[in-house]
Amino acid sequence: MKHSLANDYYQHRLTIKRKNSNRRTEYSGKEAIALEMNHLSESIITNKQPKTPGKEGLQDVRLMQLIYQAVHTDKTIKV
């Protein structure tokens, strides 16, 4: 299995902590991506803002580009 450098898409864990309980759920990469796609589709169909807006994804891409740039130039990049 080939893995991304940023995310292995192999196993994801979600822990919801509340005052009196913790609930932990694990998803495989395929399940996690399917859930994301379903949520995005539902947001489009119902004309609602997704839980994670595109701005967050764009910020992640920009940060990853800066990380790669720092690695390739061996320089510290101020963010």
Tab-separated table of all heavy atoms in Angstrom, residues 22-67:
chain	number	residue	atom	x	y	z
A	22	ASN	N	-16.043	8.907	27.682
A	22	ASN	CA	-15.242	9.056	26.474
A	22	ASN	C	-15.745	8.037	25.467
A	22	ASN	O	-16.040	6.902	25.828
A	22	ASN	CB	-13.764	8.779	26.735
A	22	ASN	CG	-13.108	9.867	27.552
A	22	ASN	OD1	-13.625	10.967	27.665
A	22	ASN	ND2	-11.976	9.551	28.146
A	23	ARG	N	-15.869	8.461	24.220
A	23	ARG	CA	-16.265	7.530	23.163
A	23	ARG	C	-15.188	7.565	22.091
A	23	ARG	O	-14.849	8.622	21.585
A	23	ARG	CB	-17.612	7.916	22.573
A	23	ARG	CG	-18.135	6.857	21.617
A	23	ARG	CD	-19.500	7.204	21.104
A	23	ARG	NE	-19.296	7.853	19.801
A	23	ARG	CZ	-20.104	8.732	19.265
A	23	ARG	NH1	-21.165	9.129	19.915
A	23	ARG	NH2	-19.856	9.243	18.088
A	24	ARG	N	-14.642	6.413	21.786
A	24	ARG	CA	-13.580	6.324	20.793
A	24	ARG	C	-14.062	5.517	19.595
A	24	ARG	O	-14.623	4.448	19.751
A	24	ARG	CB	-12.341	5.665	21.395
A	24	ARG	CG	-11.177	5.653	20.468
A	24	ARG	CD	-9.965	5.099	21.153
A	24	ARG	NE	-8.853	5.184	20.239
A	24	ARG	CZ	-7.618	4.950	20.549
A	24	ARG	NH1	-7.315	4.623	21.775
A	24	ARG	NH2	-6.670	5.043	19.666
A	25	THR	N	-13.854	6.074	18.419
A	25	THR	CA	-14.248	5.409	17.184
A	25	THR	C	-13.033	5.327	16.277
A	25	THR	O	-12.242	6.266	16.230
A	25	THR	CB	-15.363	6.210	16.474
A	25	THR	OG1	-16.427	6.422	17.391
A	25	THR	CG2	-15.882	5.474	15.271
A	26	GLU	N	-12.887	4.216	15.602
A	26	GLU	CA	-11.796	4.061	14.643
A	26	GLU	C	-12.382	3.840	13.262
A	26	GLU	O	-13.390	3.170	13.105
A	26	GLU	CB	-10.894	2.890	15.037
A	26	GLU	CG	-10.150	3.155	16.323
A	26	GLU	CD	-9.085	2.110	16.616
A	26	GLU	OE1	-8.780	1.300	15.725
A	26	GLU	OE2	-8.573	2.108	17.741
A	27	TYR	N	-11.746	4.463	12.266
A	27	TYR	CA	-12.165	4.344	10.882
A	27	TYR	C	-10.977	3.911	10.042
A	27	TYR	O	-9.856	4.348	10.281
A	27	TYR	CB	-12.637	5.696	10.324
A	27	TYR	CG	-13.774	6.312	11.071
A	27	TYR	CD1	-13.558	7.248	12.061
A	27	TYR	CD2	-15.082	5.955	10.767
A	27	TYR	CE1	-14.613	7.829	12.741
A	27	TYR	CE2	-16.145	6.525	11.437
A	27	TYR	CZ	-15.902	7.467	12.433
A	27	TYR	OH	-16.934	8.035	13.089
A	28	SER	N	-11.230	3.109	9.050
A	28	SER	CA	-10.174	2.835	8.082
A	28	SER	C	-10.105	4.027	7.150
A	28	SER	O	-11.015	4.851	7.109
A	28	SER	CB	-10.477	1.565	7.284
A	28	SER	OG	-11.497	1.813	6.337
A	29	GLY	N	-9.053	4.139	6.395
A	29	GLY	CA	-8.903	5.246	5.462
A	29	GLY	C	-10.048	5.322	4.478
A	29	GLY	O	-10.575	6.393	4.195
A	30	LYS	N	-10.469	4.160	3.948
A	30	LYS	CA	-11.562	4.142	2.974
A	30	LYS	C	-12.855	4.638	3.603
A	30	LYS	O	-13.598	5.398	2.996
A	30	LYS	CB	-11.742	2.745	2.406
A	30	LYS	CG	-10.619	2.321	1.486
A	30	LYS	CD	-10.831	0.920	0.970
A	30	LYS	CE	-9.651	0.489	0.117
A	30	LYS	NZ	-9.762	-0.881	-0.325
A	31	GLU	N	-13.129	4.211	4.831
A	31	GLU	CA	-14.335	4.659	5.524
A	31	GLU	C	-14.282	6.163	5.767
A	31	GLU	O	-15.270	6.868	5.571
A	31	GLU	CB	-14.494	3.949	6.865
A	31	GLU	CG	-14.866	2.500	6.761
A	31	GLU	CD	-14.786	1.804	8.098
A	31	GLU	OE1	-14.016	2.262	8.974
A	31	GLU	OE2	-15.483	0.804	8.278
A	32	ALA	N	-13.135	6.668	6.206
A	32	ALA	CA	-12.998	8.090	6.512
A	32	ALA	C	-13.213	8.935	5.268
A	32	ALA	O	-13.922	9.946	5.306
A	32	ALA	CB	-11.620	8.371	7.121
A	33	ILE	N	-12.642	8.528	4.150
A	33	ILE	CA	-12.802	9.284	2.910
A	33	ILE	C	-14.247	9.214	2.440
A	33	ILE	O	-14.822	10.223	2.016
A	33	ILE	CB	-11.817	8.782	1.837
A	33	ILE	CG1	-10.390	9.131	2.264
A	33	ILE	CG2	-12.130	9.388	0.478
A	33	ILE	CD1	-9.312	8.488	1.425
A	34	ALA	N	-14.876	8.053	2.549
A	34	ALA	CA	-16.282	7.915	2.148
A	34	ALA	C	-17.167	8.814	3.012
A	34	ALA	O	-18.078	9.475	2.496
A	34	ALA	CB	-16.728	6.465	2.258
A	35	LEU	N	-16.904	8.865	4.316
A	35	LEU	CA	-17.687	9.730	5.199
A	35	LEU	C	-17.506	11.199	4.822
A	35	LEU	O	-18.473	11.972	4.825
A	35	LEU	CB	-17.276	9.502	6.661
A	35	LEU	CG	-17.711	8.171	7.268
A	35	LEU	CD1	-17.025	7.954	8.619
A	35	LEU	CD2	-19.221	8.114	7.406
A	36	GLU	N	-16.278	11.592	4.490
A	36	GLU	CA	-16.025	12.976	4.070
A	36	GLU	C	-16.776	13.292	2.785
A	36	GLU	O	-17.386	14.361	2.654
A	36	GLU	CB	-14.534	13.203	3.863
A	36	GLU	CG	-13.736	13.239	5.140
A	36	GLU	CD	-12.244	13.365	4.881
A	36	GLU	OE1	-11.852	13.848	3.809
A	36	GLU	OE2	-11.460	12.993	5.771
A	37	MET	N	-16.736	12.372	1.824
A	37	MET	CA	-17.421	12.589	0.552
A	37	MET	C	-18.937	12.668	0.754
A	37	MET	O	-19.608	13.524	0.155
A	37	MET	CB	-17.062	11.475	-0.434
A	37	MET	CG	-15.619	11.534	-0.886
A	37	MET	SD	-15.090	10.104	-1.838
A	37	MET	CE	-16.188	10.144	-3.226
A	38	ASN	N	-19.477	11.801	1.591
A	38	ASN	CA	-20.912	11.837	1.879
A	38	ASN	C	-21.311	13.153	2.530
A	38	ASN	O	-22.336	13.744	2.186
A	38	ASN	CB	-21.323	10.665	2.764
A	38	ASN	CG	-21.302	9.349	2.039
A	38	ASN	OD1	-21.293	9.298	0.815
A	38	ASN	ND2	-21.275	8.268	2.800
A	39	HIS	N	-20.496	13.605	3.481
A	39	HIS	CA	-20.797	14.873	4.159
A	39	HIS	C	-20.748	16.044	3.178
A	39	HIS	O	-21.641	16.906	3.188
A	39	HIS	CB	-19.823	15.114	5.317
A	39	HIS	CG	-19.956	16.479	5.910
A	39	HIS	ND1	-21.074	16.877	6.598
A	39	HIS	CD2	-19.133	17.546	5.868
A	39	HIS	CE1	-20.934	18.137	6.973
A	39	HIS	NE2	-19.763	18.556	6.535
A	40	LEU	N	-19.740	16.076	2.322
A	40	LEU	CA	-19.634	17.157	1.343
A	40	LEU	C	-20.822	17.126	0.387
A	40	LEU	O	-21.433	18.169	0.107
A	40	LEU	CB	-18.319	17.065	0.566
A	40	LEU	CG	-18.107	18.152	-0.482
A	40	LEU	CD1	-18.137	19.545	0.145
A	40	LEU	CD2	-16.798	17.929	-1.220
A	41	SER	N	-21.180	15.942	-0.088
A	41	SER	CA	-22.338	15.817	-0.988
A	41	SER	C	-23.608	16.310	-0.318
A	41	SER	O	-24.398	17.051	-0.912
A	41	SER	CB	-22.531	14.357	-1.416
A	41	SER	OG	-21.404	13.900	-2.108
A	42	GLU	N	-23.819	15.910	0.927
A	42	GLU	CA	-25.008	16.334	1.663
A	42	GLU	C	-25.007	17.854	1.851
A	42	GLU	O	-26.052	18.502	1.732
A	42	GLU	CB	-25.065	15.634	3.021
A	42	GLU	CG	-26.329	15.935	3.788
A	42	GLU	CD	-26.397	15.172	5.102
A	42	GLU	OE1	-25.952	14.013	5.142
A	42	GLU	OE2	-26.890	15.743	6.076
A	43	SER	N	-23.844	18.435	2.121
A	43	SER	CA	-23.746	19.885	2.282
A	43	SER	C	-24.123	20.613	0.998
A	43	SER	O	-24.816	21.633	1.027
A	43	SER	CB	-22.321	20.283	2.692
A	43	SER	OG	-21.991	19.715	3.931
A	44	ILE	N	-23.690	20.071	-0.128
A	44	ILE	CA	-24.020	20.682	-1.419
A	44	ILE	C	-25.514	20.557	-1.695
A	44	ILE	O	-26.176	21.537	-2.067
A	44	ILE	CB	-23.186	20.034	-2.551
A	44	ILE	CG1	-21.717	20.413	-2.385
A	44	ILE	CG2	-23.709	20.461	-3.919
A	44	ILE	CD1	-20.765	19.614	-3.251
A	45	ILE	N	-26.066	19.376	-1.477
A	45	ILE	CA	-27.487	19.131	-1.764
A	45	ILE	C	-28.378	20.011	-0.883
A	45	ILE	O	-29.387	20.550	-1.344
A	45	ILE	CB	-27.827	17.636	-1.573
A	45	ILE	CG1	-27.161	16.818	-2.689
A	45	ILE	CG2	-29.331	17.403	-1.546
A	45	ILE	CD1	-27.178	15.320	-2.443
A	46	THR	N	-28.018	20.172	0.378
A	46	THR	CA	-28.844	20.945	1.319
A	46	THR	C	-28.436	22.413	1.389
A	46	THR	O	-29.014	23.173	2.165
A	46	THR	CB	-28.781	20.329	2.733
A	46	THR	OG1	-27.421	20.331	3.180
A	46	THR	CG2	-29.354	18.921	2.746
A	47	ASN	N	-27.429	22.789	0.583
A	47	ASN	CA	-26.950	24.170	0.536
A	47	ASN	C	-26.494	24.673	1.914
A	47	ASN	O	-26.817	25.774	2.334
A	47	ASN	CB	-28.011	25.106	-0.055
A	47	ASN	CG	-27.398	26.407	-0.526
A	47	ASN	OD1	-26.239	26.457	-0.919
A	47	ASN	ND2	-28.184	27.470	-0.493
A	48	LYS	N	-25.768	23.813	2.626
A	48	LYS	CA	-25.246	24.159	3.951
A	48	LYS	C	-23.724	24.164	3.915
A	48	LYS	O	-23.103	23.469	3.118
A	48	LYS	CB	-25.734	23.164	5.006
A	48	LYS	CG	-27.217	23.254	5.254
A	48	LYS	CD	-27.625	22.317	6.358
A	48	LYS	CE	-29.119	22.431	6.612
A	48	LYS	NZ	-29.569	21.467	7.604
A	49	GLN	N	-23.140	24.940	4.794
A	49	GLN	CA	-21.682	25.025	4.909
A	49	GLN	C	-21.140	23.698	5.444
A	49	GLN	O	-21.628	23.192	6.448
A	49	GLN	CB	-21.311	26.164	5.869
A	49	GLN	CG	-19.833	26.347	6.095
A	49	GLN	CD	-19.127	26.949	4.899
A	49	GLN	OE1	-19.722	27.666	4.106
A	49	GLN	NE2	-17.871	26.640	4.744
A	50	PRO	N	-20.128	23.108	4.801
A	50	PRO	CA	-19.526	21.882	5.344
A	50	PRO	C	-18.859	22.162	6.693
A	50	PRO	O	-18.500	23.301	6.994
A	50	PRO	CB	-18.471	21.502	4.305
A	50	PRO	CG	-18.770	22.309	3.097
A	50	PRO	CD	-19.532	23.504	3.537
A	51	LYS	N	-18.703	21.114	7.489
A	51	LYS	CA	-18.052	21.269	8.798
A	51	LYS	C	-16.641	21.823	8.649
A	51	LYS	O	-16.168	22.571	9.489
A	51	LYS	CB	-18.013	19.933	9.537
A	51	LYS	CG	-19.377	19.445	9.959
A	51	LYS	CD	-19.287	18.089	10.616
A	51	LYS	CE	-20.670	17.571	10.942
A	51	LYS	NZ	-20.646	16.214	11.466
A	52	THR	N	-15.961	21.424	7.599
A	52	THR	CA	-14.620	21.932	7.327
A	52	THR	C	-14.675	22.722	6.029
A	52	THR	O	-14.771	22.144	4.953
A	52	THR	CB	-13.610	20.768	7.185
A	52	THR	OG1	-13.698	19.952	8.341
A	52	THR	CG2	-12.196	21.291	7.056
A	53	PRO	N	-14.627	24.053	6.122
A	53	PRO	CA	-14.726	24.867	4.913
A	53	PRO	C	-13.479	24.760	4.035
A	53	PRO	O	-12.403	24.371	4.499
A	53	PRO	CB	-14.895	26.293	5.447
A	53	PRO	CG	-14.366	26.254	6.826
A	53	PRO	CD	-14.517	24.845	7.324
A	54	GLY	N	-13.631	25.099	2.775
A	54	GLY	CA	-12.521	25.042	1.823
A	54	GLY	C	-11.333	25.868	2.248
A	54	GLY	O	-10.188	25.534	1.941
A	55	LYS	N	-11.581	26.946	2.981
A	55	LYS	CA	-10.482	27.804	3.457
A	55	LYS	C	-9.496	27.012	4.308
A	55	LYS	O	-8.292	27.235	4.246
A	55	LYS	CB	-11.018	28.979	4.273
A	55	LYS	CG	-11.706	30.037	3.455
A	55	LYS	CD	-12.180	31.158	4.363
A	55	LYS	CE	-12.928	32.210	3.567
A	55	LYS	NZ	-13.402	33.298	4.434
A	56	GLU	N	-10.013	26.101	5.122
A	56	GLU	CA	-9.131	25.278	5.967
A	56	GLU	C	-8.260	24.365	5.120
A	56	GLU	O	-7.077	24.203	5.375
A	56	GLU	CB	-9.951	24.442	6.950
A	56	GLU	CG	-10.195	25.136	8.250
A	56	GLU	CD	-10.804	24.211	9.282
A	56	GLU	OE1	-10.272	23.109	9.515
A	56	GLU	OE2	-11.832	24.614	9.849
A	57	GLY	N	-8.862	23.749	4.117
A	57	GLY	CA	-8.102	22.875	3.221
A	57	GLY	C	-7.040	23.644	2.475
A	57	GLY	O	-5.903	23.175	2.323
A	58	LEU	N	-7.389	24.846	2.003
A	58	LEU	CA	-6.421	25.684	1.294
A	58	LEU	C	-5.270	26.066	2.218
A	58	LEU	O	-4.101	26.031	1.814
A	58	LEU	CB	-7.108	26.933	0.750
A	58	LEU	CG	-6.233	27.890	-0.046
A	58	LEU	CD1	-5.598	27.186	-1.246
A	58	LEU	CD2	-7.056	29.094	-0.499
A	59	GLN	N	-5.571	26.386	3.466
A	59	GLN	CA	-4.525	26.710	4.448
A	59	GLN	C	-3.601	25.507	4.654
A	59	GLN	O	-2.383	25.654	4.720
A	59	GLN	CB	-5.147	27.138	5.775
A	59	GLN	CG	-4.145	27.439	6.874
A	59	GLN	CD	-3.330	28.695	6.617
A	59	GLN	OE1	-3.692	29.537	5.802
A	59	GLN	NE2	-2.238	28.828	7.310
A	60	ASP	N	-4.187	24.314	4.736
A	60	ASP	CA	-3.377	23.099	4.885
A	60	ASP	C	-2.429	22.913	3.701
A	60	ASP	O	-1.256	22.582	3.878
A	60	ASP	CB	-4.269	21.862	5.016
A	60	ASP	CG	-5.033	21.817	6.324
A	60	ASP	OD1	-4.684	22.569	7.253
A	60	ASP	OD2	-5.991	21.025	6.417
A	61	VAL	N	-2.942	23.128	2.486
A	61	VAL	CA	-2.114	22.985	1.286
A	61	VAL	C	-0.971	23.992	1.313
A	61	VAL	O	0.185	23.649	1.032
A	61	VAL	CB	-2.959	23.152	0.003
A	61	VAL	CG1	-2.079	23.255	-1.228
A	61	VAL	CG2	-3.934	21.993	-0.141
A	62	ARG	N	-1.266	25.219	1.663
A	62	ARG	CA	-0.220	26.258	1.724
A	62	ARG	C	0.855	25.902	2.749
A	62	ARG	O	2.045	26.080	2.500
A	62	ARG	CB	-0.840	27.612	2.033
A	62	ARG	CG	-1.611	28.164	0.852
A	62	ARG	CD	-2.216	29.511	1.162
A	62	ARG	NE	-2.854	30.059	-0.035
A	62	ARG	CZ	-3.876	30.876	-0.015
A	62	ARG	NH1	-4.396	31.270	1.137
A	62	ARG	NH2	-4.396	31.324	-1.146
A	63	LEU	N	0.427	25.408	3.906
A	63	LEU	CA	1.404	25.017	4.929
A	63	LEU	C	2.258	23.840	4.460
A	63	LEU	O	3.469	23.820	4.686
A	63	LEU	CB	0.687	24.673	6.239
A	63	LEU	CG	0.061	25.858	6.968
A	63	LEU	CD1	-0.788	25.377	8.131
A	63	LEU	CD2	1.131	26.832	7.449
A	64	MET	N	1.636	22.866	3.797
A	64	MET	CA	2.404	21.731	3.276
A	64	MET	C	3.419	22.198	2.231
A	64	MET	O	4.560	21.726	2.208
A	64	MET	CB	1.472	20.673	2.674
A	64	MET	CG	0.608	19.952	3.687
A	64	MET	SD	1.534	19.107	4.986
A	64	MET	CE	2.459	17.929	4.037
A	65	GLN	N	3.023	23.136	1.386
A	65	GLN	CA	3.955	23.670	0.385
A	65	GLN	C	5.143	24.348	1.056
A	65	GLN	O	6.284	24.195	0.615
A	65	GLN	CB	3.236	24.647	-0.544
A	65	GLN	CG	2.290	23.960	-1.498
A	65	GLN	CD	1.458	24.935	-2.311
A	65	GLN	OE1	1.168	26.049	-1.875
A	65	GLN	NE2	1.058	24.509	-3.503
A	66	LEU	N	4.888	25.081	2.139
A	66	LEU	CA	5.978	25.727	2.867
A	66	LEU	C	6.894	24.692	3.534
A	66	LEU	O	8.114	24.873	3.575
A	66	LEU	CB	5.417	26.691	3.908
A	66	LEU	CG	4.754	27.941	3.349
A	66	LEU	CD1	4.064	28.730	4.465
A	66	LEU	CD2	5.763	28.821	2.613
A	67	ILE	N	6.308	23.621	4.036
A	67	ILE	CA	7.120	22.556	4.637
A	67	ILE	C	8.037	21.939	3.586
A	67	ILE	O	9.239	21.760	3.814
A	67	ILE	CB	6.223	21.484	5.294
A	67	ILE	CG1	5.557	22.072	6.540
A	67	ILE	CG2	7.021	20.225	5.619
A	67	ILE	CD1	4.434	21.220	7.098
